[in-house]
Amino acid sequence: MAEFSSDSVCLDVETIYLGGKEHIVRTGSGSVSVIVYGDPDKPALVTYPDLALNHMSCFQGLFFCPEAAALLLHNFCVYHISPPGHELGASAICDSNPVPSVDDLADQILEVLNYFRLGAVMCMGAMAGAYILTLFTMKYRERVVGLILVSPLCKAPSWTEWLCNKVMSNLLYYYGMCSVLKECLLYRYFSKEVRGNAEVPESDIVEACRRLLDERQSINVLRFLQAIDRRPDITSGLKKLKCRTLVFVGDNSPFHSDALDMIAKLDRRYSALVEVQGCGSMVTEEQPQAMLTSMEYFLMGFGLHRPNQFSGSPRSPLSPTCISPELFSPESMGLKLKPIKTRLSSQR
């Protein structure tokens, strides 16, 4: 895994975000925002969020979890890539600019890695972001050492998703980020348990996400939605991926079947599935503690570990005894990952 050289980047824009720095990287398909956290001499972890989200609304729950922060920030310098126009304070993208394809978005990631002079990186993506990172891995296999995917997409849109995308596209075009559109997006992200109903109020994480959605520029969200809606099926190429892959999916996710299809197509020697009970698509926000133990054992295969002050077992409902022992068998490339299905108790 290549490391960052401190004199390798000429910054266009730099802004401080909770200890991170924003870099605006100009690419062949437009500019993208990258928030960098941590020591650039450490191995790189690249993240990519879902539709209408950025790192604050998609990965904050995971990185604000103390054990996860210890595990990830101890081992990585984190590069949060936002889809074009999804960063905090983004202005509307000009209508005359061509709508990027999913291939364009994947190529942007390559340009970001080259901008920071990164070699092979670890990747973490959620839903549409997981699709983009998987496509990037297929196109540039030598640049990825491992994938952590949350409720990933891998097929072309189903009829149900296609219809939902059309409804959201029309709402974005005619009404912007209206209340109906926000409900469609929250259904995409969260389980009904945290979205609430007439008798039960919605949870704090849903309220926070709803407020963050108000900050999105509707035209920018529409452009990303159009790219994702036109995505091709990439399942035929999954078997050729040799990097280790850890897949999380909530059993209430609209993309649950996509995740199962994906794990079925991946090479069983290098892939594993963790299915989280009572959770929607965005496990990183709804049940981040459910990811800890699996991620820790997954990263052990790369020689990575948590610092000594967090040497005890993570406070996670997923204990090592819940996972097949075969998942932890050392191989020449690290851990040998087998497909597993792990049920977690819902944690509120």
Side-chain angles (χ1 to χ4, degrees):
M1 196 179 294
E3 295 181 345
F4 176 99
S5 174
S6 60
D7 60 355
S8 63
V9 178
C10 179
L11 298 183
D12 298 314
V13 175
E14 185 176 282
T15 308
I16 304 301
Y17 283 115
L18 297 175
K21 294 181 180 180
E22 181 182 34
H23 304 251
I24 302 300
V25 181
R26 296 188 177 100
T27 74
S29 301
S31 297
V32 291
S33 167
V34 185
I35 307 291
V36 181
Y37 288 89
D39 181 356
D41 290 328
K42 292 181 177 180
L45 170 65
V46 171
T47 75
Y48 207 102
D50 189 37
L51 175 71
L53 302 176
N54 54 37
H55 76 287
M56 289 294 291
S57 46
C58 192
F59 300 107
Q60 179 175 265
L62 178 63
F63 280 87
F64 277 17
C65 185
E67 295 90 341
L71 174 64
L72 297 174
L73 296 179
H74 174 70
N75 289 293
F76 296 104
C77 182
V78 183
Y79 297 79
H80 291 299
I81 302 177
S82 292
H86 281 52
E87 66 272 16
L88 296 171
S91 57
I93 299 174
C94 181
D95 286 340
S96 61
N97 291 351
V99 175
S101 67
V102 289
D103 278 289
D104 292 331
L105 297 175
D107 291 340
Q108 279 187 334
I109 297 173
L110 178 65
E111 293 186 71
V112 168
L113 266 57
N114 291 341
Y115 179 91
F116 290 104
R117 297 188 181 179
L118 300 174
V121 301
M122 182 73 67
C123 292
M124 177 187 294
M127 294 94 93
Y131 178 95
I132 298 298
L133 289 174
T134 304
L135 179 61
F136 170 74
T137 306
M138 290 179 172
K139 297 181 71 170
Y140 308 103
R141 295 176 193 172
E142 73 283 357
R143 304 302 292 269
V144 178
V145 296
L147 286 168
I148 301 172
L149 306 176
V150 181
S151 303
L153 314 179
C154 62
K155 292 185 171 183
S158 64
W159 283 108
T160 302
E161 186 193 347
W162 177 85
L163 180 59
C164 184
N165 289 348
K166 292 305 175 188
V167 170
M168 290 197 294
S169 294
N170 287 330
L171 290 171
L172 283 164
Y173 186 83
Y174 290 107
Y175 303 103
M177 190 59 71
C178 61
S179 59
V180 177
L181 175 64
K182 282 189 259 188
E183 293 304 322
C184 293
L185 290 170
L186 293 174
Y187 170 81
R188 176 187 178 98
Y189 306 149
F190 299 110
S191 67
K192 61 182 179 180
E193 285 83 1
V194 296
R195 293 200 312 273
N197 52 49
E199 291 78 29
V200 180
E202 65 186 19
S203 71
D204 292 342
I205 58 171
V206 176
E207 288 184 7
C209 186
R210 189 187 295 275
R211 289 193 299 270
L212 289 168
L213 288 174
D214 285 330
E215 301 175 5
R216 298 285 80 76
Q217 294 282 352
S218 56
I219 183 63
N220 301 352
V221 177
L222 177 60
R223 289 165 60 86
F224 190 25
L225 176 59
Q226 289 172 337
I228 293 300
D229 192 48
R230 298 167 185 167
R231 70 182 187 269
D233 188 318
I234 58 173
T235 53
S236 61
L238 293 175
K239 203 71 174 180
K240 299 176 183 178
L241 291 184
K242 299 303 179 185
C243 70
R244 282 164 284 168
T245 304
L246 180 60
V247 177
F248 294 93
V249 64
D251 65 356
N252 290 334
S253 169
F255 308 113
H256 181 261
S257 62
D258 256 64
L260 297 184
D261 288 336
M262 184 174 199
I263 204 70
K265 297 294 192 300
L266 287 166
D267 191 319
R268 296 190 174 197
R269 293 173 295 173
Y270 312 118
S271 59
L273 171 69
V274 178
E275 189 176 11
V276 185
Q277 186 176 14
C279 189
S281 299
M282 204 148 53
V283 185
T284 50
E285 293 294 311
E286 193 170 339
Q287 291 194 39
Q289 73 281 358
M291 302 175 65
L292 293 174
T293 302
S294 296
M295 281 201 309
E296 183 167 15
Y297 280 93
F298 178 72
L299 295 177
M300 281 172 57
F302 299 91
L304 304 174
H305 56 86
R306 287 187 297 164
N308 291 335
Q309 60 264 36
F310 286 92
S311 59
S313 297
R315 292 194 297 271
S316 169
L318 178 59
S319 66
T321 56
C322 295
I323 307 176
S324 168
E326 295 180 355
L327 178 61
F328 309 133
S329 300
E331 295 287 336
S332 59
M333 294 181 65
L335 297 181
K336 181 179 181 181
L337 299 177
K338 292 285 186 76
I340 58 174
K341 184 175 183 180
T342 303
R343 288 285 182 177
L344 301 176
S345 299
S346 177
Q347 300 289 310
R348 296 287 176 259

